[in-house]
């Protein structure tokens, strides 16, 4: 009730993201709703609570800030900072980056990943769509840890193999073009994020 939904920003296998206005503070926010079919799973509820709190602890200038999380109307939700700008995919579709421009994007992402890894969180889906660039040129990682929120790293390989093929497009195996080989077995650690960032850099440099 405290949000005014303005538009749909994107939709994926695990949920949908809306641009909204938080009326009480008169600020723009991003609202992510996770798939409602998860709402009846008590294990999912416990994992979501634990990992949303971990994500909220990631206070870093190059990671999208989480303001709130919870469950309402059959949906699990994350209320996040709204980044006014474009994602790297959209940027790459409009122009060919110079090597200097491409290299300027990598260090802030490395800093953000280092912060997350020190908190025991692996993104597992670094790709151009999840790297946001605001109008001031600041790079921020989005969708941080959603893969872990939905498919906890504590799941057995058998559980992860049971994920539907629709989920597998981005979770927990990552997006195929960017995923490290070991993600196919669900055993990725922090090195998988570094691999994926290397693929993104290659794409920025070569088109």
């Amino acid at each position: 009730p405290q949000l005014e939904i303005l538009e749909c920003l994107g939709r994926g296998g695990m949920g949908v993201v809306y641009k909204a206005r938080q009326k009480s503070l008169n600020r723009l926010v991003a609202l992510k709703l996770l798939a409602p079919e998860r709402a009846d799973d008590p294990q999912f509820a416990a994992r979501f609570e634990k990992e949303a709190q971990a994500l909220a602890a990631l206070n870093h200038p190059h990671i999208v800030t989480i303001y709130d999380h919870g469950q309402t109307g059959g949906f699990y939700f994350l209320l996040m900072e709204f980044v006014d700008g474009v994602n790297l995919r959209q940027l790459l579709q409009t122009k060919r980056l110079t090597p200097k421009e491409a290299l300027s994007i990598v260090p802030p992402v490395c800093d953000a990943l280092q912060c997350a890894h020190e908190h025991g969180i692996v993104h597992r889906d670094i790709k151009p769509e999840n790297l946001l660039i605001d109008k001031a040129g600041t790079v921020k990682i989005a969708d941080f840890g959603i893969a872990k929120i939905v498919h906890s790293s504590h799941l057995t390989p058998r559980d992860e193999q049971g994920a539907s093929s629709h989920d597998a497009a981005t979770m927990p195996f990552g997006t195929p073009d960017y995923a490290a080989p070991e993600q196919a077995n669900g055993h990725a650690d922090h090195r998988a994020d570094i691999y994926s960032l290397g693929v993104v850099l290659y794409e920025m440099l070569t088109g």
Side-chain angles (χ1 to χ4, degrees):
Q2 71 272 29
L3 297 179
E4 176 189 355
I5 306 296
L6 301 175
E7 63 178 295
C8 177
L9 295 175
R11 191 178 296 271
M14 305 312 299
V16 60
V17 181
Y18 296 98
K19 177 181 177 181
R21 177 177 288 107
Q22 195 172 11
K23 298 176 190 174
S24 58
L25 296 173
N26 192 30
R27 69 176 173 185
L28 294 176
V29 294
L31 173 68
K32 176 149 193 168
L33 299 180
L34 297 179
E37 58 267 21
R38 309 257 171 201
D40 296 329
D41 179 354
Q43 286 186 321
F44 173 77
R47 284 201 305 269
F48 177 83
E49 181 76 17
K50 178 182 174 187
E51 302 206 25
Q53 290 173 354
L55 293 171
L58 291 180
N59 183 12
H60 193 278
H62 298 295
I63 294 176
V64 170
T65 303
I66 289 186
Y67 297 138
D68 196 9
H69 72 281
Q71 183 184 3
T72 183
F75 289 95
Y76 287 93
F77 73 88
L78 290 171
L79 194 63
M80 301 173 289
E81 165 189 11
F82 172 70
V83 178
D84 189 9
V86 297
N87 65 41
L88 181 58
R89 171 70 64 219
Q90 293 166 320
L91 183 64
L92 291 173
Q93 288 169 344
T94 62
K95 62 180 287 191
R96 178 73 180 268
L97 297 184
T98 66
K100 184 177 180 181
E101 288 171 330
L103 290 170
S104 71
I105 289 172
V106 174
V109 177
C110 288
D111 287 345
L113 288 175
Q114 179 72 22
C115 170
H117 296 161
E118 287 172 353
H119 283 80
I121 295 175
V122 181
H123 190 291
R124 295 197 286 189
D125 200 19
I126 294 294
K127 59 183 178 181
E129 288 79 358
N130 287 338
L131 300 179
L132 307 182
I133 303 166
D134 70 15
K135 289 181 176 176
T138 304
V139 183
K140 290 178 181 277
I141 304 180
D143 251 11
F144 216 104
I146 296 300
K148 284 191 70 180
I149 289 174
V150 177
H151 293 287
S152 167
S153 58
H154 303 303
L155 289 178
T156 65
R158 181 174 157 272
D159 289 336
E160 294 206 332
Q161 288 165 6
S164 76
S165 58
H166 187 57
D167 291 354
T170 54
M171 314 290 175
F173 314 99
T175 300
D177 288 347
Y178 300 91
E182 65 270 20
Q183 284 183 257
N185 299 318
H187 297 309
D189 60 19
H190 67 283
R191 292 170 293 183
D193 286 344
I194 299 169
Y195 177 100
S196 299
L197 180 58
V199 179
V200 172
L201 174 59
Y202 181 89
E203 185 176 4
M204 287 193 290
L205 291 172
T206 66

